Amino acid sequence: MITKRIIPCLDVKDGRVVKGVNFAGLNDVASPVELAKFYSDEGADELVFYDITASAEGRRLFTDILTEAARQVFIPLTVGGGINTTDDFDRVLKCGADKVSVNSGAIRNPDLVREAARLYGDQCVVLSVDVKRVGGEFRVFAKGGRVDTGMEAVSWIRRCVDMGAGEIVVNSMDTDGVKKGFDLEMLEAVCDAVSVPVIASGGAGCMEDFVTLFKSIPKVDAGLAASIFHFGEVKIADLKRELAANGIPARIV
């Protein structure tokens, strides 16, 4: 059985890692390079960096941060934020990213997914989707969760996979930062619709939430979280041992 991945997420704003609740109320956490190295040493399987402001100045700062992180960290790095063209893919890949996460850029121009997959391979293209329930429907949101696109999420995800997205990060806006568990209903709907790896994001509050996630939806490949790792509420090494004790395969360092 393939081991389940544990992935810390580092939201970067003005050169610092920040974290909020329900996509709002951002608090400063740490230096992204120092935190990335810490998580690598702790046994994280991958890291995700999001430049959540993606301003021109922020992207320059972020490029410097990414280059330095890639020098010090030897686990896969996925980078997102302000990815609107294949040139953006090229830039972050050359700075040391292994995969590139695209969200609003794909909504504006779905052909970006197809073109990036053609140039760099499906394995480099990660579709990140911010999803919230609206009127009983899973709806896609853009621009950091601020804009309702009106698109139904599962059909959008299926369309992007057909165009070449090799991995999906499902960010549940309903559970983000609340620490009451992953959005199992939403994740199951996505896993049933696609055959590429699915990463669960939003809602982790304790180790048991990861156990519940992987036992309830075996198709989920990875669990992503931020604040519980950033603030020391869950240590990755302890989480890996807990998963193994529950019969869930995990890489233990």
Side-chain angles (χ1 to χ4, degrees):
M1 186 182 292
I2 297 174
T3 58
K4 301 300 185 182
R5 292 173 288 154
I6 300 300
I7 306 175
C9 177
L10 286 68
D11 291 332
V12 180
K13 180 179 185 291
D14 298 330
R16 299 287 292 178
V17 177
V18 296
K19 183 57 187 164
V21 177
N22 290 129
F23 284 50
L26 298 175
N27 297 306
D28 185 89
V29 176
S31 154
V33 175
E34 291 175 8
L35 200 55
K37 190 170 188 310
F38 171 77
Y39 286 139
S40 179
D41 293 342
E42 281 281 290
D45 297 295
E46 297 184 17
L47 293 172
V48 170
F49 283 92
Y50 287 129
D51 177 354
I52 61 170
T53 51
S55 65
E57 180 183 5
R59 284 199 291 274
R60 283 198 294 274
L61 283 167
F62 190 73
T63 299
D64 294 342
I65 289 165
L66 173 57
T67 302
E68 185 58 30
R71 284 198 194 104
Q72 298 194 32
V73 174
F74 304 102
I75 56 177
L77 301 176
T78 297
V79 178
I83 305 298
N84 296 301
T85 67
T86 53
D87 285 345
D88 291 327
F89 272 79
D90 191 65
R91 173 175 54 86
V92 295
L93 290 169
K94 284 178 176 174
C95 287
D98 298 278
K99 294 182 277 190
V100 181
S101 176
V102 62
N103 186 335
S104 294
I107 293 168
R108 281 190 293 273
N109 174 25
D111 281 340
L112 176 60
V113 173
R114 181 182 287 111
E115 185 65 10
R118 183 185 68 81
L119 289 170
Y120 305 109
D122 293 9
Q123 78 286 348
C124 280
V125 182
V126 179
L127 180 73
S128 179
V129 190
D130 296 329
V131 186
K132 186 176 183 179
R133 289 168 178 79
V134 178
E137 178 180 72
F138 295 132
R139 197 76 64 79
V140 177
F141 278 67
K143 296 185 178 179
R146 293 187 295 274
V147 177
D148 183 352
T149 67
M151 293 193 299
E152 194 279 321
V154 176
S155 57
W156 165 245
I157 290 168
R158 190 185 298 115
R159 178 184 173 192
C160 289
V161 169
D162 290 343
M163 289 190 294
E167 189 167 76
I168 309 297
V169 178
V170 181
N171 304 306
S172 172
M173 294 178 62
D174 295 319
T175 60
D176 178 72
V178 180
K179 299 183 181 180
K180 298 293 186 182
F182 291 97
D183 197 325
L184 301 181
E185 180 190 19
M186 184 182 295
L187 290 161
E188 188 159 35
V190 174
C191 285
D192 286 346
V194 299
S195 57
V196 300
V198 172
I199 299 172
S201 173
C206 61
M207 289 192 284
E208 186 60 33
D209 290 335
F210 288 88
V211 174
T212 300
L213 169 69
F214 294 129
K215 285 201 165 187
S216 300
I217 314 175
K219 290 181 182 178
V220 168
D221 285 79
L224 181 149
S227 56
I228 62 166
F229 297 142
H230 297 342
F231 300 117
E233 297 165 46
V234 171
K235 295 186 183 301
I236 291 174
D238 293 342
L239 173 56
K240 294 286 193 75
R241 285 191 286 269
E242 182 69 14
L243 292 176
N246 281 273
I248 299 165
R251 181 184 68 91
I252 298 177
V253 296

